[in-house]
Amino acid sequence: MSERKSPRSTQADGLAEEYLTALDDDLFRKEEEDSETVRQDQELASELGRSIEEQLAAYDQQDEMLRKEQGSRSDSAESGHHRSSGSRRSSGGSRSSSGIHSGRSGNKRKRKNRDSWSRGRRRSRILIGILIFIVILLLLVIGGFFVLRYMGEQNLKKSVVETPVEITMPDEEENDDENLVVYNGERYWYNEDVISILCIGVDRQEFASSDDMVIGGNGQADADVLVVIDKSTGKITFLNISRDTMVDLDRYNVQGQYIDTVNEQLCLSFAFGNGQETSCENTALSVSRLLYGMPINAYVAIDFESIATLNDAVGGVTVPVTEEIAEKFPGYEVGALVTLSGSEAVTYIRTRDTALLDSNNTRMSRQKQYVTAFLKQTLEQIKADPTQTLTLFNSVSDNMVTSLKLSEITYFGSFFAQNGFSEENLISLQGEVIEGEDGFAQFMPDETALYETVLNLFYTKE
């Protein structure tokens, strides 16, 4: 096996110059397209407003003409009545009086009908005015949504957690283009439409504050899922990475100064930081190294209390009772469906028998069942109410550390609602669990399977 560059190898000075140029060109093009969409929405709103205003002006003009016409008819009728009543006065007082009374009643009915018609016209104008306001407001909201969505996409592409790393890979042919990988005779090009977000579940009830921070003891990355979004295909992949995966992680002293880089379990990478942002960044760095330097655009970490909150926010999640957890749900047989409450959800996804070497693999299988059910339920709610993404985000904001902004949450929520997900796209790294010298479990990824996973997620085959 000869030494070759890894797919999308990163350098210490950041992304390659040509990639940044291509990225800027792409963002500029997308900005023009989205700006054109917003401009068209605004023009449509203005045109609609002008059309309705012209219609209202026409109604006013017709209203005025009808008023004048009815007034003219009323005057003519009243004049005729006076002439008629004058000629009949000689015929007898009672007959003359009856004619006067009839004429006055007719005039009152005409005025009443005219007033009723005018009130109806005013009501119509008010309703049309309200309609104008609603339509214009709706179009502005839609335009603002597209702007917010674009900003989120742009920010995610610009934000990258990466590491300088060179890795030897099997069966790779030499070439001069860092965006190209030749593997098993196939050519793969780096996919610039990919965005990745690292989701971290921390084994703490709450995140460490600056006052009680202990370097090396700020909790562990108990669950690690990389969400990979391919804008070109609409595909969303959830890559579940075992907490016991052996990775290169950076260690720091209590002053936060770098000590060294060691090969340890991924879960420990979170401990060497401030228990918040720097811990997340250190974990993202280790995952990036594991995936041959692939960029990670954002991270979000939640403590296990957030699981209960999210579970209840979607109305509970229904899952099957598995054999290894059946005793936690008395009264239910193995395979029976149970709708979890908040605390039960925490139990379902965190419980494992630490006496078993591969207990985390079994737990990850159970977590996949829960995540699948949660995503399906959440997807339906987001389709019915697009604001549900922000509702869920806000519900755990006090128990979360993230680099995501409002615009980026909006972008991901709309992308998820539009494209959905497939259960077959919830995948895990292949490998084996061995016992380390310290007696702890170590997950050793299959190198070939790992490399092919990176190619499938971050590259496009020619």
Side-chain angles (χ1 to χ4, degrees):
M1 181 191 304
S2 60
E3 291 194 2
R4 299 288 186 265
K5 66 179 181 183
S6 68
R8 197 60 186 172
S9 298
T10 54
Q11 288 76 39
D13 56 354
L15 293 174
E17 182 73 23
E18 55 268 28
Y19 174 62
L20 284 175
T21 302
L23 178 59
D24 288 340
D25 291 342
D26 179 61
L27 291 176
F28 180 74
R29 175 178 56 81
K30 292 293 293 180
E31 182 177 10
E32 285 187 326
E33 292 175 356
D34 287 356
S35 297
E36 178 64 18
T37 300
V38 174
R39 186 187 64 79
Q40 291 175 356
D41 288 339
Q42 292 172 341
E43 288 183 354
L44 177 60
S46 299
E47 182 178 350
L48 181 60
R50 286 193 301 269
S51 176
I52 296 179
E53 287 176 358
E54 290 173 358
Q55 190 174 3
L56 285 175
Y59 285 159
D60 289 340
Q61 187 176 3
Q62 292 176 7
D63 189 14
E64 185 64 25
M65 292 176 62
L66 287 172
R67 285 174 181 272
K68 290 180 179 180
E69 183 178 350
Q70 288 187 349
S72 176
R73 289 177 179 176
S74 177
D75 292 342
S76 298
E78 187 173 353
S79 175
H81 166 69
H82 286 313
R83 288 195 301 270
S84 176
S85 62
S87 63
R88 288 195 297 267
R89 282 174 185 165
S90 59
S91 300
S94 61
R95 185 177 177 182
S96 176
S97 175
S98 175
I100 294 171
H101 177 73
S102 176
R104 290 175 177 173
S105 297
N107 289 336
K108 288 181 178 179
R109 282 195 299 272
K110 291 178 181 178
R111 285 194 298 270
K112 183 177 180 180
N113 290 338
R114 186 167 63 248
D115 292 343
S116 176
W117 182 85
S118 297
R119 286 195 297 271
R121 297 283 293 179
R122 284 194 296 270
R123 284 196 296 268
S124 297
R125 292 174 60 190
I126 292 173
L127 290 174
I128 292 174
I130 293 174
L131 178 62
I132 293 174
F133 174 77
I134 292 175
V135 170
I136 293 176
L137 180 62
L138 185 60
L139 288 174
L140 290 176
V141 168
I142 293 173
F145 170 80
F146 279 111
V147 170
L148 196 62
R149 187 180 188 274
Y150 164 74
M151 290 173 59
E153 178 184 358
Q154 184 183 37
N155 290 339
L156 280 172
K157 288 295 293 183
K158 286 183 176 180
S159 302
V160 176
V161 179
E162 60 174 349
T163 175
V165 58
E166 292 288 344
I167 300 176
T168 301
M169 287 308 304
D171 301 332
E172 186 181 349
E173 297 180 9
E174 188 70 52
N175 67 81
D176 296 328
D177 194 331
E178 72 160 2
N179 288 321
L180 173 64
V181 169
V182 181
Y183 176 72
N184 285 342
E186 301 285 352
R187 293 162 63 88
Y188 295 83
W189 291 93
Y190 181 76
N191 186 356
E192 295 180 357
D193 284 325
V194 168
I195 294 174
S196 62
I197 303 172
L198 180 62
C199 300
I200 307 169
V202 183
D203 65 343
R204 292 179 66 103
Q205 187 168 357
E206 60 183 13
F207 288 99
S209 67
S210 57
D211 296 330
D212 58 7
M213 180 182 68
V214 179
I215 297 295
N218 288 322
Q220 298 183 4
D222 220 27
D224 305 273
V225 178
L226 186 66
V227 182
V228 182
I229 303 167
D230 188 344
K231 298 188 300 171
S232 62
T233 63
K235 180 180 177 181
I236 303 177
T237 303
F238 297 82
L239 176 62
N240 200 357
I241 306 172
S242 172
R243 70 187 296 279
D244 297 326
T245 303
M246 300 303 290
V247 298
D248 290 335
L249 62 88
D250 293 344
R251 295 193 300 180
Y252 298 84
N253 61 21
V254 292
Q255 286 79 32
Q257 298 171 328
Y258 172 79
I259 301 175
D260 56 12
T261 299
V262 296
N263 192 253
E264 289 283 359
Q265 288 92 340
L266 173 62
C267 59
L268 299 178
S269 60
F270 192 89
F272 290 97
N274 62 1
Q276 298 185 15
E277 289 83 2
T278 60
S279 290
C280 292
E281 292 167 359
N282 203 36
T283 303
L285 192 64
S286 294
V287 172
S288 178
R289 286 170 171 163
L290 172 69
L291 302 179
Y292 306 108
M294 292 301 100
I296 295 176
N297 301 97
Y299 59 79
V300 54
I302 59 174
D303 57 36
F304 63 76
E305 285 298 316
S306 298
I307 298 168
T309 302
L310 291 172
N311 181 89
D312 292 344
V314 298
V317 177
T318 302
V319 292
V321 175
T322 59
E323 183 175 358
E324 73 276 3
I325 204 173
E327 63 180 23
K328 301 290 184 178
F329 297 92
Y332 288 91
E333 297 181 358
V334 174
L337 295 178
V338 55
T339 299
L340 304 174
S341 65
S343 59
E344 291 172 337
V346 175
T347 298
Y348 189 86
I349 68 173
R350 295 195 72 226
T351 299
R352 67 169 176 150
D353 185 356
T354 55
L356 301 176
L357 189 64
D358 64 345
S359 62
N360 190 58
N361 283 358
T362 304
R363 180 172 66 175
M364 286 172 60
S365 176
R366 196 181 334 118
Q367 289 172 347
K368 179 179 179 180
Q369 291 178 323
Y370 179 86
V371 170
T372 300
F374 176 83
L375 289 176
K376 287 181 178 179
Q377 190 159 330
T378 303
L379 178 60
E380 293 303 316
Q381 294 182 3
I382 294 176
K383 287 181 177 179
D385 178 12
T387 64
Q388 178 68 355
T389 305
L390 296 178
T391 300
L392 295 176
F393 183 78
N394 290 331
S395 69
V396 294
S397 59
D398 293 336
N399 299 85
M400 174 175 60
V401 177
T402 182
S403 63
L404 291 171
K405 303 178 179 62
L406 174 64
S407 60
E408 296 161 355
I409 291 293
T410 302
Y411 169 74
F412 177 74
S414 64
F415 189 94
F416 181 55
Q418 180 179 358
N419 297 283
F421 80 103
S422 174
E423 186 173 347
E424 66 183 14
N425 292 333
L426 274 72
I427 62 176
S428 300
L429 290 182
Q430 299 179 28
E432 64 174 336
V433 179
I434 64 173
E435 183 176 354
E437 294 180 358
D438 54 5
F440 290 101
Q442 296 181 350
F443 180 80
M444 311 300 293
D446 180 281
E447 289 295 335
T448 299
L450 172 61
Y451 186 53
E452 292 176 352
T453 297
V454 170
L455 289 176
N456 290 334
L457 292 180
F458 292 91
Y459 284 74
T460 301
K461 187 163 67 172
E462 187 175 278

